[in-house]
Amino acid sequence: MRTAVRKDTSRQTRDAIVSGIHQAMVDAIGMPEDELFNIVSEYDPKDFHYSRTFNGIARSDNLVLIEITMRRGRSDAMKREIYRLITVNLEKSSGISPKDVFIFVHENDYSDWSVGNGIGAMALVQQRGTDF
């Protein structure tokens, strides 16, 4: 996962954003509690150009971009729940307006992952005999 926030975002707010995203993933798709990997980067407002009105949504100067990479196979309903819960959590914990949360998802397969020890995730799934 990757999250981009304004350069002047406090450490406390960054941590709350990461927690809110992670909890949404746990609640919406049953992601394991310990599956937390989120690179937070910052952008300088003068270097980030975006539409404040795209798709009829009035955005502020506090846009948060969230890029989720996950295994293929989640339903559209599950993705909608991820989006909903992320915005609910971020508004509740950080005061970030849902209008300022931009989320996009990349999907791939087990063969596209190695989660440690140089072993492909598919091999781990086969060893466990589970759906991961």
Side-chain angles (χ1 to χ4, degrees), residues 18-68:
V18 168
S19 287
I21 295 167
H22 181 67
Q23 194 58 53
M25 298 293 288
V26 169
D27 293 343
I29 64 170
M31 188 172 77
E33 288 280 347
D34 67 343
E35 191 174 332
L36 172 59
F37 299 92
N38 191 330
I39 297 173
V40 179
S41 61
E42 57 185 35
Y43 62 85
D44 189 318
K46 69 178 176 27
D47 294 327
F48 182 36
H49 305 274
Y50 59 90
S51 171
R52 296 187 189 288
T53 60
F54 174 71
N55 216 24
I57 299 172
R59 293 172 183 81
S60 77
D61 291 330
N62 297 314
L63 195 65
V64 175
L65 281 81
I66 302 165
E67 182 177 357
I68 301 169

Side-chain angles (χ1 to χ4, degrees), residues 2 8 13 17 21 59 65 68 71 77 81 86 89 94 96 107 109 113-115 122 125 130:
R2 295 181 178 269
D8 58 358
T13 300
I17 289 169
I21 295 167
R59 293 172 183 81
L65 281 81
I68 301 169
R71 178 179 47 83
E81 186 66 357
I86 287 174
N89 292 351
S94 309
I96 297 169
E107 293 182 299
D109 298 307
W113 294 79
S114 173
V115 296
M122 182 54 85
V125 169
T130 66

